[in-house]
Amino acid sequence: MLYGSYEILYGTRYYWLGPRKPYMAHPSPQRQVLGLVGWLAASFVAGGIGAIASASAGAFYAQLSRPSWAPPSWLFGPVWSVLYVLIGVAAWLVWRKHGFRGAPAALKLFGIQLLANALWTWLFFVWHLGAISLAEIVVLWLLIVSTIVAFWRLHRAAAVMLVPYLIWVSFASALTFSLWRLNPAVLG
């Protein structure tokens, strides 16, 4: 039963269901747009950090012995761009429905997996650490699965939006393993 509501900063309306229930945020339309921009920005910042590391990735990738099923280097940019949009919108949906107070663990997990996402490109393309990048992408995969589970409990559409990301990282994990095994001198 709804007991009341009141306005707080930036037009966010908080409803409470009783003295022991957490607040559920329902951001104003303006705040929702700003939130969407913020979550997309966070996703693309992670992508940008990876892009800085992959500035010479095309040349490095071309010199590697690759399995026959490896995609061309030009495909990675468009795929990641679509994935970063999905990732950002998924986090926004959870935030919009629950706010930081209602979904702290899920949104922190989301942030951690974004950091792991950005780190992989540096490990593989800049530092050429094949075994470590393989271990890190497995950790990233586990973080994505954990984020999907956490999001599923809060907003199922948001969880489903992360599934293409999980599929791509699964593929990238297999590719990382193959490249590491085929190029031991370069990827130590």
Side-chain angles (χ1 to χ4, degrees), residues 34-100:
L34 288 174
L36 177 59
V37 169
W39 287 108
L40 288 171
S43 295
F44 279 100
V45 164
I49 291 168
I52 291 167
S54 63
S56 62
F60 176 70
Y61 186 72
Q63 80 176 11
L64 295 175
S65 297
R66 296 183 306 272
S68 61
W69 47 270
S73 60
W74 62 264
L75 184 64
F76 292 96
V79 169
W80 276 112
S81 295
V82 170
L83 291 175
Y84 285 126
V85 169
L86 291 172
I87 292 165
V89 171
W92 173 72
L93 288 172
V94 170
W95 169 82
R96 188 181 71 162
K97 184 174 180 183
H98 298 280
F100 288 110

Side-chain angles (χ1 to χ4, degrees), residues 1 14 26 29 64 69 80-81 112-113 145 160-161 177 185 187:
M1 183 176 346
Y14 290 90
H26 296 284
L64 295 175
W69 47 270
W80 276 112
S81 295
I112 293 167
Q113 67 80 28
V145 169
V160 169
M161 292 179 85
F177 176 76
L187 293 170

Side-chain angles (χ1 to χ4, degrees), residues 130-164:
I132 294 172
S133 64
L134 178 62
E136 197 275 348
I137 204 167
V138 169
V139 170
L140 174 60
W141 190 92
L142 292 169
L143 287 167
I144 295 167
V145 169
S146 299
T147 304
I148 290 171
V149 169
F151 278 19
W152 183 262
R153 294 177 181 144
L154 300 167
H155 196 293
R156 291 190 175 175
V160 169
M161 292 179 85
L162 294 179
V163 170

